[in-house]
């Protein structure tokens, strides 16, 4: 499992009320500087992110929850999560700066950090290859390799882990979708080589242009979910229409239990 290194002064950890999840809001520059410093220490670390889907998964998936609880950096990817963190902490958190998705920081990875070897794990073969090419073009003197995630299974997982051990990357972008990517990292954490691992969901295909991301101006308005729902209703309907109500039920029961315990 991850070695938990809580550093409140550096990452500004905030606990979301009732749910108990912890986030470490950063803007893109702060995250890239953190990657720079962590790479310099040559240690294993994970970059995760919270949105409403992950909050729900955190409530119902113990493996997922344990991995998140031990992470050093948990970004505020979802607008509601950012608003809750701002309300809870009183910090000046901005939707333009601190609602941080993969496309907000990945373009600066090769130009603003010293990582030399980057692995891209997950997504479709086309999306993976395009992302590898885009990153490699930004820094021809560095090495970028890819492993597509389509049809992920135990045999493929075994092979990818073994090849990552040989490649010895500095930074690994993992886009297998949530919660598969977090479960894979959790069960393989002891075997994976020292590197920074960033769980990005569908970010690889979006960076490659295979999936069209929501217009960036929708982010500060908290409406990216609506764009995704309209453009991918079958795939994301349950996530955006049903899960928020299930999450609300879980949190309401937690709040009642907390009141009873205090009483």
């Amino acid at each position: 499992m991850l070695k938990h290194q809580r550093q409140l002064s550096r990452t500004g950890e905030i606990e979301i009320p009732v749910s108990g999840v912890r986030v470490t809001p950063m803007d893109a520059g702060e995250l890239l500087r953190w990657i720079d410093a962590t790479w310099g220490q040559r240690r294993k670390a994970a970059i995760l992110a919270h949105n409403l889907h992950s909050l729900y998964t955190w409530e119902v998936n113990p493996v997922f929850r344990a991995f998140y609880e031990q992470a050093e950096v948990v970004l505020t990817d979802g607008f509601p999560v950012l608003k809750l963190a701002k309300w809870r902490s009183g910090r000046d958190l901005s939707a333009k700066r601190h609602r941080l998705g993969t496309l907000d920081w990945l373009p600066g990875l090769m130009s603003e950090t010293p990582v030399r070897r980057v692995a891209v794990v997950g997504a479709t073969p086309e999306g993976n290859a395009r992302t590898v090419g885009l990153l490699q073009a930004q820094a021809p003197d560095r090495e970028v390799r890819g492993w597509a995630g389509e049809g992920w299974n135990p045999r493929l997982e075994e092979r990818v882990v073994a090849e990552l051990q040989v490649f010895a990357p500095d930074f690994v972008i993992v886009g297998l979708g949530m919660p598969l990517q977090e479960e894979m990292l959790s069960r393989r954490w002891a075997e994976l080589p020292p590197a920074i691992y960033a769980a990005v969901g569908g970010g690889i295909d979006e960076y490659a242009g295979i999936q069209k991301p929501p217009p960036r101006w929708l982010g500060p308005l908290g409406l990216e979910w609506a764009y995704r729902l309209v453009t991918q209703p079958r795939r994301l309907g349950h996530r955006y229409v049903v899960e928020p109500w299930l999450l609300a039920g879980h949190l309401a029961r937690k709040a009642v239990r907390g009141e009873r315990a205090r009483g």
Side-chain angles (χ1 to χ4, degrees):
M1 285 300 295
L2 276 165
K3 183 179 179 181
H4 187 31
Q5 299 184 6
R6 186 171 300 166
Q7 300 178 18
L8 301 181
S9 61
R10 186 179 70 183
T11 57
E13 187 178 73
I14 300 169
E15 182 173 322
I16 302 299
V18 183
S19 70
V21 305
R22 293 179 173 88
V23 293
T24 46
M26 293 182 178
D27 63 26
E30 289 169 336
L31 177 60
L32 292 170
R33 288 191 292 274
W34 181 88
I35 291 171
D36 188 338
T38 304
W39 175 87
Q41 298 167 11
R42 300 298 195 276
R43 61 186 176 84
K44 196 182 299 186
I47 299 170
L48 308 178
H50 260 314
N51 51 36
L52 285 183
H53 178 49
S54 66
L55 290 188
Y56 172 72
T57 308
W58 191 91
E59 291 287 342
V60 301
N61 186 322
V63 173
F64 182 91
R65 180 167 60 249
F67 194 70
Y68 263 74
E69 286 179 340
Q70 298 177 76
E72 290 179 57
V73 171
V74 181
L75 303 170
T76 46
D77 179 35
F79 187 78
V81 177
L82 176 66
K83 288 300 184 182
L84 286 170
K86 181 176 181 177
W87 171 72
R88 176 69 167 182
S89 67
R91 288 170 52 187
D92 184 22
L93 300 177
S94 163
K96 289 185 178 180
R97 289 181 55 207
H98 298 100
R99 195 214 62 80
L100 205 64
T102 304
L103 298 189
D104 296 308
W105 60 265
L106 185 54
L109 178 66
M110 307 303 284
S111 60
E112 298 183 43
T113 74
V115 296
R116 305 296 302 177
R117 292 183 301 280
V118 176
V120 182
V121 178
T124 61
E126 183 182 6
N128 189 285
R130 284 192 188 181
T131 293
V132 168
L134 289 169
L135 294 174
Q136 187 70 77
Q138 293 177 31
D141 60 325
R142 306 184 196 183
E143 190 171 5
V144 185
R145 293 188 189 177
W147 291 264
E150 202 166 76
W152 192 266
N153 57 54
R155 178 178 294 182
L156 176 58
E157 180 174 303
E158 191 76 34
R159 179 174 67 82
V160 170
V161 170
E163 292 180 8
L164 285 174
Q165 290 170 342
V166 175
F167 181 44
D170 301 316
F171 196 93
V172 184
I173 302 163
V174 185
L176 296 173
M178 183 183 292
L180 175 58
Q181 60 197 11
E182 291 83 9
E183 292 171 342
M184 185 279 288
L185 288 171
S186 178
R187 65 175 166 262
R188 294 291 189 170
W189 193 252
E191 304 167 64
L192 290 167
I196 301 170
Y197 294 81
V200 302
I204 296 173
D205 276 343
E206 287 191 350
Y207 186 70
I210 302 299
Q211 291 183 7
K212 187 175 180 181
R216 301 309 292 163
W217 60 267
L218 288 175
L221 300 177
L223 293 174
E224 286 191 351
W225 67 271
Y227 177 91
R228 296 182 191 278
L229 179 60
V230 169
T231 55
Q232 304 177 68
R234 290 188 178 181
R235 189 171 77 87
L236 299 176
H238 185 272
R239 177 183 301 186
Y240 291 128
V241 177
V242 177
E243 279 188 8
W245 294 103
L246 297 176
L247 175 61
H250 278 281
L251 296 182
R253 288 189 290 273
K254 268 190 174 182
V256 169
R257 288 196 298 269
E259 288 296 326
R260 288 175 177 172
R262 285 191 291 271

